Structures are given as structure tokens and as C-alpha cells.
Amino acid sequence: MRVLFCASGSLGHLRPMLPLAMAFRQAGHRVAWASSPDALPGLAGSGYDLFPVGIAMAAARALYRQRWPEAASMSGLQLSTHTFPHLFGGVVAPAMVDDLGRVIDRWMPDLLVHEPAALAVPLICASRGLVHVCHGYGLRPPDGHLSGALREFSRQQPGVRQLPADDGGIYRHRYIDIMPRRLQAASPREPDRVLALSPAAAGGTVVPDLPAAWHRRLARNVRPILYLSFGTVFNQGPAFEVAARALSRLDATVQAADQFRNAAALAAAGAGLVLGPEDCTEDAVAGAARALLEGGAIRHAARQLGADIAQMPAAADVVRALLDHGATQVSPS
């Protein structure tokens, strides 16, 4: 069987699909990737067929800022809510359509696996009668994000209007969910079509691009690691500087993530704390960090999440489930 994985180009959307791609290949299937030109170098030498499609993400972000200059005055969740529809629906998806169509016609995949922001995939698959499976990268995009992205996409691709207005057909066949149920409830649409997949790292996934000294330090680290979410500020600006100064007071190793919604979900599950921009002072950050390190209830909730993840199916199990449940009817080639 020939399986084509498609990602919009954001590495945070591409990398969660790597374990499933490897599992398909280990099961004897031919696997290829289609993504933005600047996302593929990280997959070079991994044994996959690679097809650049659409616009480089750096260029896409520049075009987004040019077309919607009002985004420059936004930050945090407001910027995230604006970015998904306009960047992925208004810039990335239209640029991907023609290139991805040519790749599919030439490589002739039996199954496509894509992430939610690869909005061109359902459109192309619908016109060719192909099966596609959506692979989540975390929390599902809110319905408003998707409907807004489809409106932007349809301005350049009128055929999008023939797809379901709420989700563009993204979840038409199956949805692979890497989030534990404590953080994300089952989809209200077609819950029987959702397959859980453990987000735990699998062999062969991409090693984070960190300085060698950081890798050595983390490898021998025995202290707690605090994960802090700064949303789409990308670890720049006053908020990051305040947090870095505050955490320098503590005996802890600091890493960073960048999803406001993930942080809110962790807090709702009792496994994390969230500080709003108005609360981001050195004392507040240091106090919250101490609460994370010393709070038994938070630690217990985090361990429950870890136990949930340990029970989620591995990538090889998901490959078997897709084949057994008729995601495609062809055999390995």
C-alpha cells in the first residue's frame, strides 16, 4: 500500500505524525511525505519519498503579515485565533492545491494521512475519490477556526464551498487523536470514527533541534522540568524575559512550549497553572513555579495524565486498526 502523509509545513503539525509514518513503513507499506519546501529537509535521509508542495512557511507567514497587517497589534489567544483561519486558510491551503494534486496523480497513493491545517487534502481527495485520515497534533482546532479558514480558502478555491461548511470534510473518514481524554473530550461528530494514538515519543522521531550542551544537560538532569506556555509569542518579548528571571531563582531546568489552549486544558485537568499577561510578574511566575514543584494535587493529576498516555495505543496498533476497519482495502505492496 502507498500512504502519503501531508502537512501544512508547521513542524509542530508534522512531527506528531512521524510515529505513524514509521509504523506504516515497518508494516511493509510505501510511505511518502508532501509538505512545504522548508519542512522537508528534516526528513531527508529517513527513507521516505519527499514532495515539496505549496509555499515555504517562512514566506507564508510573511505574506500573512502583509495581507493582514492588523495581526501586528494582536497577541496571545487573539493572535492565535486570527492566525489559523488567515494563515492556513488564506495562504497555505490555496498554495498547496495544484502541487499536491500533481503529486497525488503521479505517486498514486492509496491513503492520505494529514493534519487538520492541511485544508487542501479533503478538497483534492473528494475530487479523486480518495480516502483520507486526519491525524491530530494536539487539541482539535475550535469549530470557529475551521469555519473561518474554509471561508478564506473558498475565496480562492470556489470548490471548497461544496465541502461541509463546518469542517471542510477534514473528519470525513477517521480522526487519529493523540490527546488523552482528560484533556480533550471525544468528538461530538462521529465519535466511533476516532482512533486514539499515544503521543509518547517513538523510536525514530525527530530529536529537538537544541544546542549540544542543552542535550547533555537534560540527559543528566535529575531536577524537575517545568514546561511553560507562552502561546504565539515564540519565547520572545517581555513575558519570556520576566519568566526567565523569575525561574532563575529556582533550582529547576526550564523548557518552553507555545500553546495557550494546551496550557488551559492542563489547568482544567488540575495538572498545571496558567498566568495571564496581566499576572506575569517575577513574583507571580516564581510563586506558580514553586506551587508546581511542591503541589501534591498537581503532581498527582500530572501522573494520572501520564498513566492515561501509557494506556493509549501505539502507532503499530493504529495501523492495524485502520486496515481492519476499512480505512482502505488494499494490501501492502
Side-chain angles (χ1 to χ4, degrees):
M1 184 173 73
R2 299 166 76 87
V3 185
L4 178 63
F5 282 73
C6 183
S8 59
S10 174
L11 294 181
H13 296 192
L14 182 154
R15 288 178 175 173
M17 296 194 289
L18 286 170
L20 189 65
M22 175 171 287
F24 265 112
R25 195 172 62 181
Q26 290 174 341
H29 303 282
R30 182 90 174 266
V31 178
W33 285 86
S35 189
S36 65
D38 50 350
L40 294 178
L43 297 172
S46 300
Y48 300 109
D49 295 326
L50 304 178
F51 301 106
V53 294
I55 185 173
M57 281 304 296
R61 293 186 184 279
L63 190 55
Y64 161 69
R65 291 190 292 268
Q66 177 185 335
R67 290 184 182 174
W68 293 279
E70 66 271 19
S73 63
M74 300 177 186
S75 62
L77 189 57
Q78 181 189 24
L79 179 58
S80 176
T81 301
H82 186 275
T83 298
F84 189 97
H86 296 89
L87 175 62
F88 294 108
V91 178
V92 175
M96 185 181 287
V97 171
D98 291 341
D99 288 345
L100 184 58
R102 284 189 287 268
V103 168
I104 289 173
D105 292 340
R106 185 178 70 184
W107 201 72
M108 299 181 65
D110 302 297
L111 173 68
L112 276 84
V113 180
H114 64 99
E115 44 93 1
L119 299 165
V121 173
L123 175 68
I124 296 172
C125 288
S127 67
R128 290 164 171 78
L130 292 172
V131 174
H132 61 92
V133 172
C134 185
H135 190 306
Y137 49 72
L139 294 172
R140 289 185 301 274
D143 290 345
H145 285 37
L146 286 175
S147 60
L150 292 167
R151 283 194 300 272
E152 294 296 331
F153 191 11
S154 67
R155 299 182 198 278
Q156 301 176 58
Q157 288 287 336
V160 174
R161 300 189 183 101
Q162 305 303 314
L163 300 174
D166 55 350
D167 63 15
I170 284 176
Y171 307 119
R172 177 184 178 188
H173 296 119
R174 303 300 293 265
Y175 178 68
I176 298 171
D177 194 354
I178 66 171
M179 291 295 277
R181 286 288 172 260
R182 292 178 196 271
L183 300 182
Q184 176 161 259
S187 171
R189 295 189 296 271
E190 305 291 348
D192 58 319
R193 296 188 180 186
V194 176
L195 291 173
L197 169 63
S198 172
T205 56
V206 174
V207 175
D209 185 17
L210 299 174
W214 287 30
H215 282 293
R216 291 192 296 270
R217 182 181 178 188
L218 290 172
R220 62 175 181 265
N221 176 62
V222 296
R223 297 176 294 175
I225 297 177
L226 300 180
Y227 292 88
L228 294 100
S229 172
F230 293 99
T232 49
V233 299
F234 296 107
N235 305 338
Q236 296 176 2
F240 182 75
E241 295 170 6
V242 168
R245 288 196 300 270
L247 293 173
S248 68
R249 308 178 189 176
L250 305 176
D251 185 26
T253 297
V254 181
Q255 293 181 315
D258 64 355
Q259 292 294 331
F260 284 109
R261 293 174 58 238
N262 286 346
L266 282 169
L273 297 174
V274 178
L275 294 177
E278 67 281 0
D279 301 319
C280 193
T281 65
E282 288 189 38
D283 287 341
V285 173
R290 289 193 182 94
L292 289 174
L293 293 171
E294 300 168 1
I298 295 176
R299 186 179 299 110
H300 176 70
R303 288 173 176 167
Q304 285 184 315
L305 282 174
D308 291 347
I309 290 171
Q311 295 299 316
M312 294 171 72
D317 299 322
V318 173
V319 169
R320 287 190 291 270
L322 286 170
L323 298 178
D324 293 344
H325 289 81
T328 180
Q329 297 298 320
V330 296
S331 302
S333 57

